[in-house]
Amino acid sequence: MNRFVVLVVAASLPWLGAPRDSPGAIDQTLPSGIAASLLDAQDARGVAGLVVQSPGFAGTIIRRAGEMGVASAPDLVGLAVDPSTRPEMLRTLVFAAAEASPEEADVVAAAAYRAIGAPDRREMVGVIGAAAIDAVEASGRDKDFVRMMAIRIHAALQELLLEFDPKLAVELAMATDDPDDTFSDFSKRPIDDVVDAGDDLPTPIRFELPSEEQNSASPN
């Protein structure tokens, strides 16, 4: 990879150089109120509302919802994200969903980008891609799986852009822990060989952000 290009991109994308602290684990002990609300949730919309209200426990909520057969990780991200979602919250939601279901990390990323308002929010695509890749790495999968999913995440997001953007490949190559991946690794996968997240995403959940007092219960 061209070192000058990497340095230029890194300087303009501060989140790629930030410490990769996990926004939320997938095996936390849920507070009794959140656990009860999860059990009472009847559909994906109810679970997505709970995720938005309790982002510190998003990974565990999403994983358990999948195990219960209530909702998939991509569906929950599509419901929880909307054009007003801030970058920090967006990263938290994408990371949580992709860590809970790393095999669907590319579909999670695509669902999040559609929900955030693609293509009008181009500045968010790097946040989404990096969060999804970091989550796959955090899931403990081997190097080959991480590499495969990183390439799929790039292809899924590139498919949603109006035109080919070489900057995206550089951003996501930098987001991985693998020092050997390059721009070409992320650019060679055919875009039409990617699972589509679908055009008919449900209407996002809209809630006020939790207060500082509500968030204090979370270890995150």
Side-chain angles (χ1 to χ4, degrees):
M1 190 188 304
N2 186 292
R3 185 177 298 275
F4 175 76
V5 172
V6 170
L7 291 175
V8 170
V9 173
S12 63
L13 301 170
W15 65 81
L16 292 181
R20 294 178 181 175
D21 52 329
S22 171
I26 60 172
D27 57 357
Q28 298 181 85
T29 299
L30 296 177
S32 58
I34 296 177
S37 296
L38 178 58
L39 290 175
D40 290 340
Q42 299 297 313
D43 54 22
R45 187 172 299 277
V47 177
L50 185 60
V51 167
V52 173
Q53 291 177 320
S54 308
F57 296 99
T60 300
I61 294 170
I62 293 172
R63 179 183 64 82
R64 292 191 182 178
E67 293 174 347
M68 293 163 59
V70 176
S72 69
D75 286 343
L76 291 175
V77 166
L79 283 164
V81 171
D82 67 36
S84 68
T85 302
R86 296 178 180 180
E88 297 82 4
M89 182 66 157
L90 179 63
R91 174 177 166 77
T92 295
L93 296 173
V94 172
F95 186 104
E99 187 181 18
S101 185
E103 298 86 355
E104 297 181 293
D106 54 335
V107 189
V108 165
Y113 192 47
R114 288 182 186 278
I116 200 69
D120 297 331
R121 303 297 300 280
R122 166 59 183 85
E123 73 276 11
M124 295 298 189
V125 71
V127 175
I128 292 170
I133 289 173
D134 286 349
V136 174
E137 290 175 329
S139 73
R141 299 307 181 92
D142 62 42
K143 181 178 179 180
D144 289 340
F145 180 84
V146 172
R147 181 183 180 85
M148 176 190 72
M149 290 309 304
I151 292 173
R152 288 181 61 88
I153 289 165
H154 167 261
L157 291 172
Q158 183 63 68
E159 182 184 29
L160 298 179
L161 298 176
L162 292 179
E163 58 186 16
F164 182 75
D165 185 354
K167 182 180 177 182
L168 178 60
V170 178
E171 294 174 19
L172 299 193
M174 291 174 59
T176 72
D177 289 338
D178 185 351
D180 298 323
D181 53 18
T182 65
F183 167 90
S184 62
D185 292 328
F186 288 84
S187 301
K188 65 187 179 184
R189 184 179 178 86
I191 299 301
D192 59 3
D193 190 31
V194 179
V195 176
D196 192 354
D199 294 314
D200 301 322
L201 292 177
T203 304
I205 299 292
R206 300 182 185 277
F207 285 96
E208 294 183 1
L209 292 177
S211 66
E212 292 185 5
E213 181 178 351
Q214 290 172 312
N215 274 333
S216 64
S218 169
N220 302 298

